[in-house]
Amino acid sequence: MILRDCRLVYVAPRSGVGGVGDYADDFADAVRPHFAEVIEYRHDGPGSHSVRDIVRHRKAIQELVDADPGRVIVHCELSGGSVMPFWATARLTGNPMVTATVHDPPGIVWWPARTKFLAGKKVLNHGLHYPLRAAWRRLERTVVGSRTLFALTRSGADSLERSYPEVTAEAVMHFVPERPDITPAEDRPLAVGLFGFVYRGKGFDQLQQLRDRVPNDIAIRIAGRGTELLDPVDGVEILGEVNGPDEDAFFDSIRALVVPYGKRSIYGDAFPASGSVSRAIAYQTPVVCLQEGALSETDGGALVVAGGTNEIADATAALVTDRAALTRLRREVETLRRANSPDMVAQNFVAVWSK
């Protein structure tokens, strides 16, 4: 079977639905030239689907498979709470190849029963899943069987192999989206930034502590979906969601991106890639991050700091006032940017599917 003769049914969140939805836009464009046809089956985000919705989506995906079952690949994006694609692509008839990118390994979806009903009942959801997490993990193991799963970090792929011994886990890098060239980091204003979607564990709750520790002559700017809802902090500029020229301007106004991610789950360690880091790389912007999870894998272009908020604040202040160190990291970032373009990373998926 030649891949260029095949159809890819790509099951992914809608554009703008979290970081995975944005990732899916670039991913679909990058793999499209390698297939005869790419059918994008887009859906709402985690917590949006009832059991009836899942059944309906499963029927629609099955119909796409049935159109040419011998020459179809089904690939889906799975993150925490993505119960619809998890269940709707399980045991499809016609035995199509089904693969998935797992965004929050080692869990496939972490909460396999988090339908729309449970999504609105936090205590009940965790009461059902947390005490029985070993049983839910066994269920995940049964559903995914011997599929090929992709992780966007090396530690993520290793964790999938440990948790799901029957799967084939492939490590591929989170691609760097295409963005324009901007001012070299060492020539930008004396400022640092935080960027991304607001949710627990991303470090936005540490803004006051960062502002208290970072010298006042270093500005702090934050941007991303949901940041406009954060409580104001004196000395911190909150921009909200930025896109297009506004996103360009945000990165052009900071010398480094601060990524103070901590441990993200009471369910155990997770090893996700960071879409915010890939965006910083796209804008030739050095990163300062804590030595947590997959962030410690950063291969150049980052200052990895042991400790907590105070340590990352001190390291950030030292970096952005050291022109030589900032220039060195910026050049490393530019190397990563070239090596991990969407087209280059797509080749890794294509190589696996072709086998």
Side-chain angles (χ1 to χ4, degrees):
M1 182 171 64
I2 300 173
L3 202 62
R4 287 186 179 277
D5 294 335
C6 293
R7 164 192 290 179
L8 177 69
V9 176
Y10 182 44
V11 184
R14 300 184 193 281
S15 178
V17 176
V20 181
D22 292 345
Y23 170 94
D25 294 342
D26 290 327
F27 182 85
D29 289 341
V31 300
R32 198 180 312 278
H34 300 279
F35 288 89
E37 182 181 17
V38 173
I39 299 175
E40 296 184 49
Y41 191 91
R42 297 299 193 101
H43 56 82
D44 292 330
S48 302
H49 302 100
S50 65
V51 172
R52 181 176 295 179
D53 292 332
I54 294 171
V55 172
R56 175 173 55 83
H57 285 299
R58 177 183 175 81
K59 181 179 179 182
I61 294 169
Q62 184 65 66
E63 289 175 352
L64 293 173
V65 171
D66 290 343
D68 194 355
R71 304 203 310 173
V72 66
I73 295 172
V74 179
H75 182 73
C76 52
E77 305 291 344
L78 296 175
S79 60
S82 297
V83 296
M84 191 289 283
F86 175 73
W87 290 112
T89 60
R91 305 197 191 294
L92 293 168
T93 59
N95 196 31
M97 180 194 301
V98 179
T99 64
T101 298
V102 179
H103 287 261
D104 297 304
I108 303 295
V109 293
W110 293 89
W111 310 300
R114 188 177 179 265
T115 58
K116 187 175 183 178
F117 172 77
L118 277 183
K121 297 173 174 58
K122 185 176 181 179
V123 173
L124 182 59
N125 176 62
H126 290 299
L128 176 64
H129 286 101
Y130 186 77
L132 300 173
R133 55 194 182 279
W136 290 114
R137 181 58 54 82
R138 287 195 296 272
L139 183 144
E140 286 183 305
R141 203 173 289 141
T142 299
V143 171
V144 300
S146 59
R147 286 187 194 177
T148 293
L149 301 178
F150 297 89
L152 302 178
T153 64
R154 289 183 291 273
S155 56
D158 291 343
S159 73
L160 289 173
E161 288 184 337
R162 291 192 299 268
S163 298
Y164 309 92
E166 299 300 316
V167 308
T168 299
E170 299 282 350
V172 296
M173 295 301 101
H174 192 304
F175 57 73
V176 176
E178 295 181 0
R179 292 294 186 272
D181 293 336
I182 57 176
T183 307
E186 62 273 20
D187 294 326
R188 299 176 200 166
L190 185 58
V192 299
L194 281 76
F195 177 81
F197 306 110
V198 175
Y199 55 83
R200 185 178 178 182
K202 291 290 286 290
F204 290 105
D205 56 333
Q206 301 170 43
L207 280 173
Q208 186 65 65
Q209 191 176 350
L210 285 169
R211 181 65 282 175
D212 291 342
R213 189 82 176 188
V214 173
N216 289 333
D217 60 333
I218 301 174
I220 297 178
R221 300 186 173 99
I222 67 172
R225 202 169 299 154
T227 57
E228 67 278 4
L229 302 176
L230 295 172
D231 292 333
V233 175
D234 287 342
V236 175
E237 184 180 0
I238 299 176
L239 300 175
E241 183 177 0
V242 291
N243 295 296
D246 292 334
E247 184 184 67
D248 302 344
F250 168 72
F251 280 97
D252 205 34
S253 74
I254 62 172
R255 293 187 179 183
L257 185 75
V258 185
V259 187
Y261 296 0
K263 295 198 178 290
R264 298 175 54 177
S265 173
I266 61 171
Y267 289 80
D269 290 341
F271 302 94
S274 171
S276 297
V277 169
S278 71
R279 197 68 58 88
I281 295 171
Y283 282 108
Q284 314 106 63
T285 303
V287 172
V288 187
C289 61
L290 289 174
Q291 198 171 18
E292 293 285 354
L295 289 176
S296 59
E297 292 182 15
T298 307
D299 188 17
L303 179 60
V304 181
V305 180
T309 306
N310 286 344
E311 287 76 14
I312 200 171
D314 293 345
T316 299
L319 174 64
V320 299
T321 53
D322 184 338
R323 185 177 181 87
L326 198 59
T327 301
R328 176 178 57 80
L329 285 183
R330 188 259 302 165
R331 289 171 178 163
E332 292 177 1
V333 167
E334 290 174 348
T335 299
L336 288 173
R337 182 193 188 204
R338 292 190 295 270
N340 294 297
S341 67
D343 289 343
M344 294 291 289
V345 173
Q347 294 287 348
N348 296 316
F349 286 87
V350 169
V352 173
W353 288 325
S354 295
K355 287 189 291 187

